[in-house]
Amino acid sequence: MPKTAGIILVGNEILSGKIEDANAAYLCRELRALGVDVGRITVIPDEVRLIADEVAAFSRAFDVVFTSGGVGPTHDDVTIEGVARAMGVPVVRDPYLVELLERYYRGRVTEAALRMAEIPEGAELVGGETVRFPTILMRNVYVLPGVPEIFRAKFEALRERFRDQPIHLRNVFVSIGEGTLADFLNRLLEDFPLLQLGSYPEFSNPEYKVKVTLESRDRGYVEQALADFLARLPADVVVRVT
Amino acid sequence: MPKTAGIILVGNEILSGKIEDANAAYLCRELRALGVDVGRITVIPDEVRLIADEVAAFSRAFDVVFTSGGVGPTHDDVTIEGVARAMGVPVVRDPYLVELLERYYRGRVTEAALRMAEIPEGAELVGGETVRFPTILMRNVYVLPGVPEIFRAKFEALRERFRDQPIHLRNVFVSIGEGTLADFLNRLLEDFPLLQLGSYPEFSNPEYKVKVTLESRDRGYVEQALADFLARLPADVVVRVT
């Protein structure tokens, strides 16, 4: 079961501010809910060498890697070539993908469109049962498209592969600022060093000043930490616990 | 004048899907409008070593670097320490920032809050004329907070530093798919190899199928490329030119 994930967004259009990526935020939420820690997100241009370097580094660093973007038929779609170069294999044309494309284009498939039948040699095709085109998986790297609707449909078809032990989360909303809260957080971490502890100030929220998050894969550990934290905080500063 | 920029988002809260970052997309749009190319965005956890490695690499690779997040008074605010380590200098307390914090907290400033007066030794304080707190600039690295309202206010106070030769953009919306369009794009790039050429399919837009973007710092080059591209395309596939 994968415990850590990395996300690589390939896209000049994101770096140049033309579009706002929605795939990374979606994937972070989904993976978190499945119990997978996302360790890093990177956004890089549509350049084969950069993609190859990043894919190679991510593939070593994380259990599973997702790429988004750069998989169409035009000159700037070079993700497959980048993944192949990262793994030291050539790009080959997959007969099954050729067949799917010929069916999709009703026999009038152009040479350019056939670029979408290219895969890194040795890649698998996965999750094709419920979506029109399967996803290319090269070792631990899932190659997904940038278009959000298709990205999501393809991830949905794969999601159960990534389910792990859930991460338990409790939230404490407090009416004091971080300057005062910091000491309480530091003392909590001394007693619960394995706790994932977050502190998120809100500057324009009338209800609370900081949201504190307590997380762990061990539910008992989170609940014990929460009880200790609440026992130490002055009762009138706790706005809400969820 | 900076021509290239890198953006480092420090934040477990983004990686764990708790919040969606808005700062990178904002900064990409703003920098593009100013004529600066963003070369890379990375999102990393609140860990000193990771921040230090990334800041060091980005500082070498780009003319200017922006960090977002990790600059408050709590245990998970370690960006300043990461930047200092990247540059091989210690963290020191800045007397002017101490004074600003004492004024802000009306004399009741906690030891934790004083962490916000810490800077990498040798850093400058810039852009403090129009916002409450100046921005820490360490060599070519601007350290900005994660809270979007403050991030934007601070960037606004600095923006004229980054103005460069503008990048000229023309958009062509076409009613054919990328499979057919690809050949036209490839031929355009053969004649205009320095053109930044993007191709963005829309799968659920009734008006057009692909938006093609033509860009360069040289306005004449873009206009010439546009004229050539339009002359080659069948007239009935061009939906709109902007």
Side-chain angles (χ1 to χ4, degrees):
Chain A
M1 286 295 164
K3 292 235 177 309
T4 64
I7 302 172
I8 300 173
L9 309 179
V10 178
N12 289 343
E13 69 275 26
I14 302 169
L15 295 169
S16 62
K18 289 194 193 70
I19 69 148
E20 284 194 35
D21 169 67
N23 294 339
Y26 162 81
L27 200 49
C28 286
R29 278 193 308 271
E30 294 296 316
L31 289 171
R32 189 71 176 184
L34 290 163
V36 180
D37 273 319
V38 176
R40 185 181 285 244
I41 303 166
T42 187
V43 189
I44 52 175
D46 312 323
E47 290 174 28
V48 174
R49 190 183 53 77
L50 293 176
I51 297 169
D53 289 351
E54 207 73 351
V55 167
F58 272 55
S59 175
R60 281 192 299 269
F62 302 107
D63 294 331
V64 64
V65 178
F66 299 89
T67 70
S68 165
V71 294
T74 62
H75 65 285
D76 54 359
D77 294 312
V78 293
T79 300
I80 292 294
E81 199 179 334
V83 173
R85 195 183 293 189
M87 303 304 187
V89 299
V91 171
V92 296
R93 196 171 274 186
D94 182 81
Y96 176 64
L97 289 180
V98 171
E99 193 188 308
L100 286 183
L101 285 167
E102 280 173 345
R103 208 180 306 159
Y104 179 73
Y105 285 102
R106 298 197 188 88
R108 288 177 306 185
V109 57
T110 61
E111 194 55 29
L114 282 173
R115 287 195 63 193
M116 292 187 287
E118 291 179 348
I119 63 171
E121 191 173 65
E124 297 169 70
L125 299 175
V126 294
E129 302 77 14
T130 55
V131 288
R132 205 194 300 263
F133 290 96
T135 293
I136 295 168
L137 168 61
M138 182 63 196
R139 296 193 195 144
N140 61 344
V141 180
Y142 291 85
V143 180
L144 294 171
V147 177
E149 303 91 299
I150 312 179
F151 183 96
R152 290 177 188 216
K154 286 195 154 193
F155 181 77
E156 282 300 324
L158 300 168
R159 59 180 296 133
E160 290 310 315
R161 295 179 159 238
F162 309 114
R163 191 174 293 283
D164 202 335
Q165 225 183 310
I167 297 161
H168 300 283
L169 162 69
R170 298 300 301 267
N171 300 296
V172 181
F173 299 83
V174 298
S175 60
I176 51 176
E178 282 196 311
T180 316
L181 184 67
D183 278 347
F184 291 100
L185 299 178
N186 291 334
R187 272 185 275 156
L188 183 63
L189 273 183
E190 278 168 26
D191 292 345
F192 295 89
L194 300 178
L195 191 68
Q196 288 179 44
L197 182 63
S199 167
Y200 306 110
E202 281 273 352
F203 291 91
S204 48
N205 191 314
E207 194 201 355
Y208 65 89
K209 283 198 178 150
V210 182
K211 175 170 89 166
V212 179
T213 62
L214 296 81
E215 288 170 287
S216 165
R217 289 187 200 277
D218 179 341
R219 183 194 293 268
Y221 196 77
V222 171
E223 293 301 328
Q224 184 61 52
L226 176 66
D228 275 35
F229 184 50
L230 293 177
R232 279 177 200 151
L233 280 175
D236 61 340
V237 312
V238 178
V239 174
R240 196 153 42 97
V241 179
T242 62
Chain B
M1 286 294 165
K3 291 234 178 312
T4 64
I7 302 172
I8 300 173
L9 307 178
V10 178
N12 289 342
E13 69 275 25
I14 302 169
L15 295 169
S16 63
K18 290 192 191 73
I19 70 147
E20 285 193 34
D21 168 67
N23 294 340
Y26 162 80
L27 200 48
C28 286
R29 278 194 308 271
E30 294 296 316
L31 289 172
R32 188 72 177 184
L34 289 164
V36 180
D37 272 319
V38 176
R40 187 181 283 244
I41 304 165
T42 187
V43 189
I44 52 175
D46 312 322
E47 289 174 29
V48 175
R49 189 183 53 76
L50 293 176
I51 298 169
D53 289 351
E54 208 73 349
V55 167
F58 272 55
S59 175
R60 280 192 301 270
F62 302 107
D63 294 330
V64 63
V65 178
F66 298 89
T67 70
S68 165
V71 294
T74 62
H75 65 284
D76 53 359
D77 294 313
V78 294
T79 300
I80 292 293
E81 200 180 333
V83 173
R85 196 182 292 190
M87 303 303 186
V89 300
V91 170
V92 297
R93 197 171 275 185
D94 181 82
Y96 177 64
L97 289 180
V98 171
E99 192 188 310
L100 286 183
L101 285 167
E102 280 172 347
R103 207 179 308 159
Y104 178 73
Y105 285 103
R106 300 199 186 84
R108 288 177 307 184
V109 57
T110 61
E111 193 57 30
L114 282 174
R115 287 195 65 194
M116 291 187 288
E118 291 177 347
I119 63 171
E121 190 175 65
E124 297 169 68
L125 300 176
V126 294
E129 301 77 14
T130 55
V131 289
R132 204 193 302 265
F133 291 96
T135 293
I136 295 168
L137 168 61
M138 183 62 196
R139 296 189 198 152
N140 61 344
V141 180
Y142 290 85
V143 180
L144 294 171
V147 177
E149 302 92 299
I150 312 179
F151 183 96
R152 289 175 189 218
K154 286 194 154 193
F155 180 77
E156 282 299 324
L158 300 168
R159 59 179 296 131
E160 290 310 316
R161 294 178 159 238
F162 309 115
R163 191 174 294 282
D164 202 335
Q165 222 184 312
I167 297 161
H168 300 284
L169 162 68
R170 299 299 302 265
N171 300 295
V172 180
F173 299 82
V174 298
S175 60
I176 51 176
E178 283 196 311
T180 316
L181 184 67
D183 277 346
F184 291 99
L185 299 178
N186 291 335
R187 272 185 275 155
L188 183 62
L189 274 181
E190 277 167 29
D191 292 344
F192 295 89
L194 301 178
L195 191 67
Q196 287 178 45
L197 183 63
S199 167
Y200 306 110
E202 280 273 353
F203 291 91
S204 49
N205 191 314
E207 194 201 355
Y208 65 90
K209 282 199 178 148
V210 182
K211 176 171 88 166
V212 179
T213 61
L214 296 80
E215 286 170 287
S216 166
R217 288 188 201 277
D218 180 341
R219 183 195 292 268
Y221 197 77
V222 172
E223 294 302 328
Q224 184 61 52
L226 176 67
D228 275 36
F229 184 51
L230 292 177
R232 278 175 201 156
L233 280 176
D236 61 340
V237 311
V238 179
V239 174
R240 193 152 44 95
V241 179
T242 62

